[in-house]
Amino acid sequence: MSFSSFIPPQRTLMGPGPSDVSARVLSALSRPTIGHLDPSFVAMMDEVKLLLQYAFQTQNPYTIALSAPGSAGMEACFVNLVTPEDTVVVCRNGVFGARMIENVQRIGAKLVTVESDWGRAVEPQKLEDALKQHPEASIVAFVHAETSTGASSDAKTLCDIARQYDCLTIVDAVTSLGGSELKVDEWGIDAIYSGSQKCLSCVPGISPVSFSERAIEKLKARNVPVQSWFLDQSLVMGYWSGEGKRAYHHTAPVNSLYAMHESLLMLKEEGLENSWQRHKNMHQLLADGLADLDIEFIVPKSERLAQLNTIKIPHGLDDAQVRGYLLNEFNLEIGAGLGQFAGNAWRIGLMGFAARKENVALCLAALTEAINKFRK
Amino acid sequence: MSFSSFIPPQRTLMGPGPSDVSARVLSALSRPTIGHLDPSFVAMMDEVKLLLQYAFQTQNPYTIALSAPGSAGMEACFVNLVTPEDTVVVCRNGVFGARMIENVQRIGAKLVTVESDWGRAVEPQKLEDALKQHPEASIVAFVHAETSTGASSDAKTLCDIARQYDCLTIVDAVTSLGGSELKVDEWGIDAIYSGSQKCLSCVPGISPVSFSERAIEKLKARNVPVQSWFLDQSLVMGYWSGEGKRAYHHTAPVNSLYAMHESLLMLKEEGLENSWQRHKNMHQLLADGLADLDIEFIVPKSERLAQLNTIKIPHGLDDAQVRGYLLNEFNLEIGAGLGQFAGNAWRIGLMGFAARKENVALCLAALTEAINKFRK
């Protein structure tokens, strides 16, 4: 077998992530590698922390970029804050709520599940009922923006309720960070994780996380060690937050962090509120075009994410055939349905750098052509 | 506070990793991001698997690149193969053996430690004695190339002994893969992990791993779930090894895998044996020059790694002052001592793309100048 350099096709990425990465971020990515303890690199890490605080709207000193994808960010929040003695209320309205449940089970903590329909927001009243019924609960976990369904939940209200019942909150912001309103401090979120490859439009592989003071207190008060050495934030802290000297824990993904720095810088330059508004505007353009094609959304209007549009596959069209056509004819990637929606929905991402007029126009034109060609 | 794009200094990386990354690999890294389920990407992943099989000298079908650094690769081997019922013999002769112990403890398995001196190889007789004394042992773990000390252990002999006592082996090849002789199948290694940023000279953040058929059998026969969802290889398998269709587990670090593909391709083009020999040749050049400077090695000659040279800091020199001078005057990074050797040793890496005559010459010239300047 013979091998040669891999030259990827040039795609437009409008699936559920990774999203389009700008030339500016790719250029930052490929700058010369330096040591993970180099003083220049440590200074850059400090900027990444400040820029992440801005993106998350938090003053939490422990706001860092974890050296692994969002799924590891989720696991980091759970294994650091949940012990086998805890009772955790997980709100499930899609794939990622289900993954939270897996995390709780693997820790061996007591689990309470609050079920909401797929494609709908988490219902605050159901959370409150569960907390009334389980006064022993110590942690509430939910997904802010469900990437599997395109539903947005009311994180502020859910956090308010959790706080009333004296629970810490763990919030999945993988698809919301940078793309829709998110205010960690104002909403009182205790542990939050995101991904690099959604609305930040950085390359995949990094997970921004932030822990509140209460979360850090709980971590420090643990009497059983965190079950993961790699994700133990009491150790990672020595690398990201050492005053002056940084302690070696693992070798940080240096180049990916260059890219993260650049993508956060672009967010700062645009302004967070402007970015949220841009996602809304592009969503509206797309929604108008989809309406003209008689394509329906899965999620009711008031609960829709701007950055992830889950739509019903029009009657008479074959899922894989249409997506294959878009990919092969237009180099355009849109996402398949996941879980309950596999085979009957598409997910159109308008995330970060992909939330642009040219992308919306391309997507609508390509869908129109495919529908005309394949509809029986 | 104002921010701008981060332009790193151009360093020569001769520490314990990351090593110098070639322009060719950096260029591959920055190619346009595509989807992690894109057919083109899946085809590239298949090539990465074949190229890794070559680098590891194995036919193991489960040979993949994990989406996180080498420390996560270590943890993946332990949490997938070790259950709380196992007795694990860990050979410790440096920092990374100690980290293996941490992993066993966090799983709650029974631990037997075989201690060898720091800066020396693991002693096979000690392993055999421990296995005689602990017939219940089911797993033996050791570090092939101790990055903290520069000592190389006889992996073949250690694996032979483990096999005689019917134990699976977990081997740390973070610093050996690509840089010194390593034959996974011939030596009968059951689970092995490495890092992208040592002798492969890829960017940091990826961990190649390979599991033998016996390791996969043990994983499949588990009756308790793997404690980490992110590192559960029975799930990751569906993404890397699905026949035909790949199941989503997490979003792979697409661009870092482009870089991994390119660096493995460079290794294949050079030839594995040629790469091993190049590391030996450059080590000899460096050793000759260090002898002229009366600088002594920590590790006895027969147990030295070519790719990581741990040397005693000459009397009268200040560790941080000299390293700072090399960095500031020559843009040259060498490594500090770690653990027992902190403050009294330096670690000079000759790994992958850094194992070049120009690097050896620069290092010797810079050290000579620093010694002349600072020796009291």
Side-chain angles (χ1 to χ4, degrees), chain A residues 1-11 13 17-21 24 26-41 43-44 46-48 50-51 67-69 71-72 75 79 95-96 99 102-103 105-107 197-198 203-205 225-232 235 248-256 258 261-262 265 268-269 327 333 338, chain B residues 1-11 13 17-21 24 26-41 43-44 46-48 50-51 67-69 71-72 75 79 95-96 99 102-103 105-107 197-198 203-205 225-232 235 248-256 258 261-262 265 268-269 327 333 338:
Chain A
M1 181 149 181
S2 85
F3 298 89
S4 55
S5 292
F6 178 65
I7 311 294
Q10 174 95 45
R11 308 289 200 202
L13 300 181
S19 61
D20 271 348
V21 179
R24 185 172 155 186
L26 289 174
S27 165
L29 178 68
S30 67
R31 293 191 180 121
T33 308
I34 61 176
H36 61 111
L37 294 167
D38 193 299
S40 306
F41 188 69
M44 191 212 73
D46 285 339
E47 290 197 3
V48 167
L50 292 169
L51 289 164
S67 307
S71 325
E75 191 162 321
V79 296
V95 165
F96 296 93
R99 190 172 290 185
E102 281 264 5
N103 271 276
Q105 287 167 337
R106 287 176 194 233
I107 292 166
Q197 87 289 2
K198 309 283 188 194
V203 289
V226 172
Q227 67 197 56
S228 167
W229 184 91
F230 174 61
L231 296 175
D232 184 341
L235 304 176
Y248 163 66
H249 176 260
H250 64 272
T251 303
V254 172
N255 290 72
S256 295
Y258 296 167
H261 181 274
E262 194 72 19
L265 180 58
K268 182 90 165 69
E269 287 171 1
L327 195 68
E333 179 179 277
L338 196 61
Chain B
M1 180 148 182
S2 86
F3 298 89
S4 55
S5 292
F6 177 65
I7 311 294
Q10 173 97 42
R11 308 287 200 203
L13 300 181
S19 61
D20 271 347
V21 179
R24 185 171 155 187
L26 290 173
S27 164
L29 178 68
S30 66
R31 294 192 179 120
T33 308
I34 62 176
H36 60 112
L37 294 167
D38 192 299
S40 307
F41 188 69
M44 192 213 72
D46 285 339
E47 290 197 2
V48 167
L50 291 169
L51 289 163
S67 307
S71 325
E75 190 161 321
V79 295
V95 166
F96 296 93
R99 189 171 291 184
E102 281 265 6
N103 272 277
Q105 287 167 336
R106 286 175 195 233
I107 291 165
Q197 88 289 2
K198 309 283 188 193
V203 289
V226 172
Q227 67 197 55
S228 166
W229 185 90
F230 175 61
L231 297 175
D232 185 341
L235 304 176
Y248 164 65
H249 176 259
H250 64 273
T251 303
V254 172
N255 291 69
S256 295
Y258 296 167
H261 181 274
E262 194 73 18
L265 180 59
K268 182 90 164 69
E269 287 170 0
L327 195 69
E333 178 178 276
L338 197 60

Side-chain angles (χ1 to χ4, degrees), chain A residues 12 14-16 322-323 326 332-336 346-348 363 367:
Chain A
T12 300
M14 299 180 71
V322 173
R323 283 188 296 108
L326 300 184
L332 171 64
E333 179 179 277
I334 66 167
W346 287 322
R347 290 179 295 160
I348 301 181
C363 182
L367 269 179

Side-chain angles (χ1 to χ4, degrees), chain A residues 165-216:
Chain A
Y165 291 83
D166 205 27
C167 288
L168 292 181
T169 45
I170 296 178
V171 177
D172 178 319
V174 168
T175 289
S176 57
L177 182 67
S180 41
E181 190 183 16
L182 172 61
K183 297 183 170 177
V184 168
D185 285 358
E186 200 179 308
W187 298 352
I189 294 169
D190 292 300
I192 191 164
Y193 59 91
S194 187
S196 47
Q197 87 289 2
K198 309 283 188 194
C199 295
L200 299 180
S201 277
C202 178
V203 289
I206 301 283
S207 177
V209 298
S210 183
F211 283 12
S212 74
E213 210 175 304
R214 300 201 314 161
I216 296 287

